[in-house]
Each structure stands twice: as structure tokens, then as C-alpha cells.
Amino acid sequence: MMEKVPSLGLGTAALALTDLSEAERTLSLALDSGIKYFDTAALYGGGQAEIRLGKVLKSQAARDVFVSTKVGRYRELGVAAPGPNDTPDVWDFSEATTRASIRRSQDRLGRDYLDCVFLHDIEMAPEAALAEALPVLKDLQAKGEIGLIGAGCNTNAGLIAAIYRGAADVVLVAGRWTLLDRSAARNLLPLCAQKRTAVVAGGVLNSGLLAKRPVEAASFDYRPATVVERDAATRIHDLAQASGIQLINAALSFPTRHSAVDTLLLGVSTACQLEQSLSALKTNIPQEFWENVAPLGLRA
């Protein structure tokens, strides 16, 4: 049982729907590489990510790991992301659904104790999340079934609201503290430092826009990137290239440079991508690059 989130973690969203053997190989590689934190959610593949993670953790008798999951946003089993013919995601923070979701997550993961449970994308229904689901998590925390309570979403405002309502021992900042989008530095990260709220930085490649030189079809925040977003990412890429480093290496190294950020959450879909990410984190990024890249990126 760990009392705080480890400094490096692996997100399982992409592993919910990739080839089963590849997903298991990637999770096993993560364990073999010393990764002690795995983030999942009832949403990912409609529970498939939790099932796969639970299977690998059980097969390797890996109990000395930190696992976080999420409640409040749900999807049909096996659905990657809602399309024209799919049932859309459902946000449900009611007491009954939250309790049932926790039980299902425990069963899928094979763990009676959940190290952390995040309120998932609370910006979609903030009052329901904080008034209905949060008391359930507080109750389970008091009973020793949950370690940390957190909030995870794509907006700084949602996380700030969660902190002020006592809903965040830890926050998962998705996409708002990256080499491209540094908007969390304005209010969120200073507040986390003040309140001693732990910070997990996720979505640090901004849907792949920071993985390589942007193309016209590039994505940002799970949607097509705008011209402004592509141009900003291109400027950062070109600076990295001129500095003799790869864009993705700099993007993965950036988030934990802030003193308020405790954990970097990697997102991969294959073992090869995980190997590349781990290698990227070992790259020495010149201080001159960080100084030159400071004025670049999107406006906060």
C-alpha cells in the first residue's frame, strides 16, 4: 500500500482496445521496467482496460503497485470512442452508480483496495460529481477501501473547483500542462502547491501533436488541430530540431520540470512505444533549449 503516487506511471486508455497480446506485453514490460503506477478507468473500452490490467497484475503477482481508476463517465464494453452508430458516453455521478462502479472496478482489477479513485471529467457535471459522487468516495475512504480521492479532467477550472470542494488529494491534469499548452501554470499549479495537492500530468503529447512535426490532419485534444495549434507545435518542433533533439523527447521531459508536478503519466498503445518513451526520458535536454522554448507554445 503506497501513500503517494509514484513519479512515473502508465495510462491504459489506448491499451483497452489494442491487440490483447500487445496490451499484455506492454503492461508486462512496464512492470519489468520498474513502473509502479498504472492509471485506468471504467470508461476505457467499457471496462476492458481494467480487465486487462487486472489480469497482468494477477499473473505477475504484482501487488506492490499503485493503481488509480475513475468514476462518473462510462462507455459500452469494447467501444473505443463513440461514433455515429455508437451509444454516446454517459456521465453519471449518482450515489448508486458510483458505488456500483467501484465494485465493478474492484472485481475487474482483482483488488479490494483502490489506491486512488478520480472523479472523471467532472467539468461535464460538476455539481453532481461534487454533491453526489464525492460523499461516496469519502465514505469508502473512511472505511479503508480507497486511498486517495482525486479529480481528473481536461480543464483547469474543473480541477480548481474540485480542490476548493475538498475533492482532490491529487489531480490528474490532462493536456493543460504540456510543452504546447501551459495554461495550468496560471492558476492551477500554484493552487496545488499552496494546498499541497499532488499533481499527475497526463495527455502530455496533446493527442500526438507533440509526437512529431505536425501534419495537416494532426489532432489536438481528441479533435482536429486548428491552424494556430499546428503552427505553435511546428515552431516548437523546429526549435527542437535545430537544438539537435527530438520533439517527443522534449515533450515528455517538460512536465516534471515544474516543482508542483509529482508524476508523469505516459500514454502508449504498444510495447515499442513504451520503450521509446522510457528512452526519451533519459535524453539530456540542453538548458538553452528550455530557455528558447519558454516564449513559444499556445497563449495561456
Side-chain angles (χ1 to χ4, degrees):
M1 186 181 301
M2 299 184 187
E3 296 183 354
K4 67 176 184 178
V5 189
S7 60
L8 182 64
L10 179 66
T12 62
L15 298 176
L17 296 156
T18 191
D19 176 77
L20 176 59
S21 61
E22 184 64 35
E24 292 178 349
R25 184 161 48 249
T26 305
L27 291 167
S28 296
L29 173 62
L31 287 168
D32 291 342
S33 300
I35 290 178
K36 295 290 188 180
Y37 170 37
F38 296 85
D39 175 68
T40 188
L43 174 73
Y44 305 152
Q48 193 62 243
E50 291 181 323
I51 292 170
R52 293 180 174 188
L53 176 58
K55 180 181 177 182
V56 171
L57 294 180
K58 181 179 180 180
S59 68
Q60 296 204 13
R63 306 301 298 184
D64 186 26
V65 295
F66 188 103
V67 175
S68 62
T69 190
K70 307 179 185 74
V71 296
R73 184 178 178 182
Y74 307 100
R75 183 176 296 166
E76 285 189 351
L77 183 65
V79 176
N85 300 316
D86 297 320
T87 302
D89 290 352
V90 173
W91 277 264
D92 186 345
F93 291 98
S94 66
E95 177 182 351
T97 297
T98 300
R99 290 191 183 276
S101 180
I102 292 289
R103 298 292 176 242
R104 285 194 295 270
S105 292
Q106 289 172 321
D107 289 343
R108 291 166 179 157
L109 291 165
R111 301 170 77 86
D112 294 330
Y113 178 81
L114 300 175
D115 299 278
C116 178
V117 177
F118 290 107
L119 296 168
H120 201 171
D121 290 342
I122 66 169
E123 71 270 27
M124 299 301 294
E127 279 309 306
L130 298 172
E132 299 177 46
L134 177 58
V136 174
L137 299 189
K138 292 282 191 181
D139 175 57
L140 294 175
Q141 187 181 54
K143 292 177 178 177
E145 293 188 40
I146 290 175
L148 301 178
I149 293 172
C153 63
N154 296 291
T155 69
N156 297 310
L159 296 175
I160 289 171
I163 292 172
Y164 279 122
R165 292 282 289 272
D169 301 315
V170 53
V171 293
L172 199 171
V173 186
R176 304 287 74 83
W177 180 241
T178 75
L179 193 56
L180 177 63
D181 184 335
R182 303 168 207 169
S183 56
R186 181 189 297 171
N187 297 313
L188 176 61
L189 294 183
L191 178 63
C192 289
Q194 176 190 340
K195 299 289 187 179
R196 297 187 179 180
T197 300
V199 177
V200 177
V204 300
L205 298 182
N206 286 131
S207 298
L209 193 56
L210 289 173
K212 57 185 179 181
R213 197 176 199 278
V215 296
E216 188 172 347
S219 296
F220 177 84
D221 276 1
Y222 316 107
R223 57 164 173 75
T226 65
V227 173
V228 171
E229 291 159 351
R230 290 201 311 271
D231 287 350
T234 299
R235 286 192 293 272
I236 295 174
H237 168 274
D238 292 348
L239 174 61
Q241 188 174 53
S243 304
I245 58 178
Q246 294 186 43
L247 174 63
I248 190 172
N249 295 7
L252 291 175
S253 299
F254 171 78
T256 53
R257 288 177 56 78
H258 196 291
S259 60
V261 177
D262 302 274
T263 303
L264 172 67
L265 190 63
L266 301 175
V268 302
S269 57
T270 67
C272 180
Q273 288 179 356
L274 177 57
E275 288 178 334
Q276 292 171 345
S277 293
L278 293 174
S279 177
L281 291 174
K282 298 176 183 177
T283 303
N284 180 37
I285 309 295
Q287 178 60 30
E288 183 181 13
F289 171 80
W290 297 124
E291 294 171 358
N292 291 336
V293 81
L296 303 182
L298 299 173
R299 291 186 177 181

